[in-house]
Amino acid sequence: MESLPDELLLLVFRYLHRFDLLYAFKDLNRRFQQIVEPYLSNVNLTQADLFYKHFRLFAKHILPFQSNSIRSLTVSGLQLFDLVHLQLHHLSCLESLTLKRPLTDTILSDKLDKCLIQVLQISTLKYLSIDVNGSLILESISQYATPNLQTLKVLHSYSFDYFTSVTQQTPYLKRLSINLMSTIDLVKLFQVAVNLDELKLSFYTFVDLEVIEVPDTLKKLHLEIDCRQLKSKNNKNNLNQSNFDMLSKLLNNFKNNLKYLGLIILNAEKDFSDFDKLHSLVNNVDQLETFEYDIRTKYRPDQRFPNAEILISAHSTYSAYTNPRPQPFDTSLWRLGFKRTELKSDLPRSELLAVTSLYVPESSFLYVNPPSSFQLSDDLKLLHLNTIHICKSTVDSSPEIRSFLSKVIALAPNLHSLVLEDDGTEDALLLLKQFLTSASISRKINDVQLIKDDFFNDQDPTFFSNLAHITPNLKSLTLRLHSEFSVGNSDKLQKLVRRIRADFPRLNNLTLKLADDGAVDEHVPDFGLESYKKSLNELRHQTGQLIYWSTDFSMRGVFIIIWM
């Protein structure tokens, strides 16, 4: 290989996993070290093709010896826990860390908080992005972050008060992206982040604030608002004010500061589609140099907008925007306009074209018919649809629904996840066979979740091999297990995991919900789970799998998350 030119080596390296490549050629000689070093500068441990064996290879054989080359790292919550325990102290040159939301939110927030404290003490860290459930995120940052941390992105789906426990200022913080429950949180935010240069903000509730003390340093403001979700009428003083008027009053607080303003308005009211009214929002902003916007509305924008286009969407028909168009930063649950839609007879074609998740409800609770106002033509592409949740009772009771869903699945090139509610293992396989009618359709499914009334009981020895035949590219599997997989029968659980591992060579995530009939609840001591922990730790050492578990007392059971 020494005689091969660099260009040919780079072509060959494209077919190797980057961690195999880094391990094989590390310290071979100076030339190969220079060739493979760029593969290590930006490490993403959340990619779909990453297995636990790759993670262990990275943590045990690459990170300790080549950590000085790592500048950017992307991990999930589960991976961070293991890295903190293993080799996090080696990341002495890390400048950027992105912490993504894990597959399930069963991880205890206090564990995350402890990990974050260690992350924040990395002296070279300049950028931190967090999208996980942690109760003390901003408090930890204010107490433990070094002055080098100047850029922070925090997404938390508006689900808690960020500032309850924050007592210290963060004068080093220059750029902040954050989603807030309410505009009232801006008061506390500006008391904490006193030297902000740039703020990217989305919020769920408008509160009438006459005066906010804005940092003198703040020159750039980016706002993302969904008018359909705003709760301005919760405030009795705002009953007669439109969202446009509320936004105008909010922006008035920034009139002496801003040089840049970016607006993304979803489901905008009619006032936003008027060119003069929209620009009146910035008439009093004396130092403004740049105003960029993307206004999505069902009202036709007037002709003075520099760019306008028709969108395919149920609630936002038009987009009026500047060039360049501001890009959204908030991708949390609340910001997804069509996260989940129920299949029903009056479902608009435009909404089906925009939906990301389609739910087929149980026919016993809701009479379900396929949409009657349009036909699914063969040239139609449902580009956004990635998940379908199907109840077997509905499919059985309606041939029309079965035919409609088969067509939807065939027309959705990015569909990758199926959630099935059925009465047994045979029913689950029948459902999959009904809808995955060709090899090309079967290959695109990489996530299957089985939700059963009587739970998975492992009575069919061929179930997993048949499931693997139907979905050959499966990477994630979720099962709700029968009570026979109880706390006292951990050996059965071990055998189940081994079978799944043998039948699904590409599987890298397995989530098991252990059905509970009262054996695990808040009155049972922690040692009731020790048999699970011991058994799973033995399995981890035998198979090289990363295993986490947590109790969920509200659901009276145990979640086990296994990284294959």
Side-chain angles (χ1 to χ4, degrees), residues 100-154:
K100 290 190 174 182
R101 187 178 297 273
L103 291 176
T104 66
D105 286 330
T106 59
I107 305 304
L108 298 178
S109 61
D110 61 336
K111 291 184 179 181
L112 173 63
D113 295 331
K114 292 176 182 177
C115 291
L116 274 178
I117 290 173
Q118 295 194 44
V119 168
L120 291 166
Q121 293 173 345
I122 299 175
S123 61
T124 55
L125 193 66
K126 298 178 181 179
Y127 171 88
L128 178 61
S129 175
I130 305 175
D131 183 11
V132 290
N133 290 331
S135 59
L136 301 173
I137 288 176
L138 289 186
E139 181 183 7
S140 298
I141 290 171
S142 66
Q143 289 187 18
Y144 298 102
T146 72
N148 279 329
L149 183 63
Q150 297 188 0
T151 305
L152 175 65
K153 179 179 179 180
V154 182

Side-chain angles (χ1 to χ4, degrees), residues 53-65:
K53 63 181 181 181
H54 294 131
F55 176 81
R56 294 290 294 181
L57 181 63
F58 169 76
K60 292 186 67 175
H61 300 289
I62 297 173
L63 182 57
F65 306 103

Side-chain angles (χ1 to χ4, degrees), residues 290-305:
T290 305
F291 180 32
E292 297 177 353
Y293 52 81
D294 185 357
I295 309 299
R296 304 201 172 199
T297 177
K298 66 180 181 180
Y299 302 99
R300 183 186 294 273
D302 67 45
Q303 297 180 351
R304 290 171 292 174
F305 282 98

Side-chain angles (χ1 to χ4, degrees), residues 359-363 389-396 419 421 431:
Y359 175 60
V360 184
E362 189 174 349
S363 58
H389 186 136
I390 303 173
C391 294
K392 181 178 182 297
S393 61
T394 303
V395 174
D396 288 345
V419 183
E421 291 189 32
L431 274 177

Side-chain angles (χ1 to χ4, degrees), residues 414-453:
N414 298 315
L415 180 71
H416 59 74
S417 181
L418 290 177
V419 183
L420 306 179
E421 291 189 32
D422 55 78
D423 300 321
T425 54
E426 291 184 6
D427 294 328
L429 295 176
L430 285 173
L431 274 177
L432 288 171
K433 289 178 180 178
Q434 284 181 10
F435 296 120
L436 306 183
T437 55
S438 69
S440 61
I441 295 175
S442 295
R443 283 195 296 268
K444 67 185 179 183
I445 302 300
N446 59 40
D447 173 41
V448 170
Q449 303 175 41
L450 302 182
I451 303 175
K452 300 157 54 59
D453 290 337

Side-chain angles (χ1 to χ4, degrees), residues 345-394:
S345 59
D346 59 349
L347 177 68
R349 180 178 183 270
S350 55
E351 185 167 346
L352 181 63
L353 287 169
V355 72
T356 59
S357 177
L358 182 63
Y359 175 60
V360 184
E362 189 174 349
S363 58
S364 60
F365 292 101
L366 181 66
Y367 187 69
V368 183
N369 269 327
S372 56
S373 60
F374 63 90
Q375 297 293 323
L376 293 174
S377 57
D378 291 335
D379 59 346
L380 189 68
K381 295 297 180 185
L382 304 176
L383 298 176
H384 302 287
L385 184 63
N386 57 53
T387 303
I388 299 182
H389 186 136
I390 303 173
C391 294
K392 181 178 182 297
S393 61
T394 303

Side-chain angles (χ1 to χ4, degrees), residues 235-435:
N235 189 329
K236 293 182 179 179
N237 297 327
N238 302 332
L239 286 175
N240 298 318
Q241 296 191 59
S242 68
N243 289 318
F244 184 91
D245 294 333
M246 294 287 288
L247 178 61
S248 180
K249 293 181 69 172
L250 176 66
L251 290 175
N252 194 52
N253 289 277
F254 299 87
K255 64 182 181 180
N256 297 323
N257 298 72
L258 296 184
K259 292 187 176 181
Y260 170 88
L261 175 63
L263 290 180
I264 295 179
I265 312 291
L266 306 180
N267 301 293
E269 299 161 338
K270 190 171 184 178
D271 287 342
F272 289 97
S273 64
D274 184 294
F275 183 84
D276 288 334
K277 293 209 70 171
L278 180 67
H279 282 78
S280 71
L281 293 172
V282 296
N283 283 345
N284 297 325
V285 186
D286 298 331
Q287 301 183 59
L288 192 69
E289 297 174 357
T290 305
F291 180 32
E292 297 177 353
Y293 52 81
D294 185 357
I295 309 299
R296 304 201 172 199
T297 177
K298 66 180 181 180
Y299 302 99
R300 183 186 294 273
D302 67 45
Q303 297 180 351
R304 290 171 292 174
F305 282 98
N307 304 284
E309 64 182 12
I310 299 176
L311 300 176
I312 300 175
S313 174
H315 299 280
S316 300
T317 306
Y318 302 97
S319 173
Y321 59 94
T322 55
N323 195 5
R325 184 183 249 167
Q327 298 301 306
F329 78 92
D330 186 354
T331 56
S332 60
L333 180 63
W334 289 106
R335 305 293 298 162
L336 298 177
F338 301 96
K339 180 64 179 176
R340 174 163 141 161
T341 291
E342 284 192 358
L343 180 64
K344 49 192 176 182
S345 59
D346 59 349
L347 177 68
R349 180 178 183 270
S350 55
E351 185 167 346
L352 181 63
L353 287 169
V355 72
T356 59
S357 177
L358 182 63
Y359 175 60
V360 184
E362 189 174 349
S363 58
S364 60
F365 292 101
L366 181 66
Y367 187 69
V368 183
N369 269 327
S372 56
S373 60
F374 63 90
Q375 297 293 323
L376 293 174
S377 57
D378 291 335
D379 59 346
L380 189 68
K381 295 297 180 185
L382 304 176
L383 298 176
H384 302 287
L385 184 63
N386 57 53
T387 303
I388 299 182
H389 186 136
I390 303 173
C391 294
K392 181 178 182 297
S393 61
T394 303
V395 174
D396 288 345
S397 63
S398 174
E400 294 82 7
I401 287 287
R402 184 161 55 247
S403 174
F404 182 82
L405 285 178
S406 296
K407 193 79 170 179
V408 165
I409 290 172
L411 295 175
N414 298 315
L415 180 71
H416 59 74
S417 181
L418 290 177
V419 183
L420 306 179
E421 291 189 32
D422 55 78
D423 300 321
T425 54
E426 291 184 6
D427 294 328
L429 295 176
L430 285 173
L431 274 177
L432 288 171
K433 289 178 180 178
Q434 284 181 10
F435 296 120

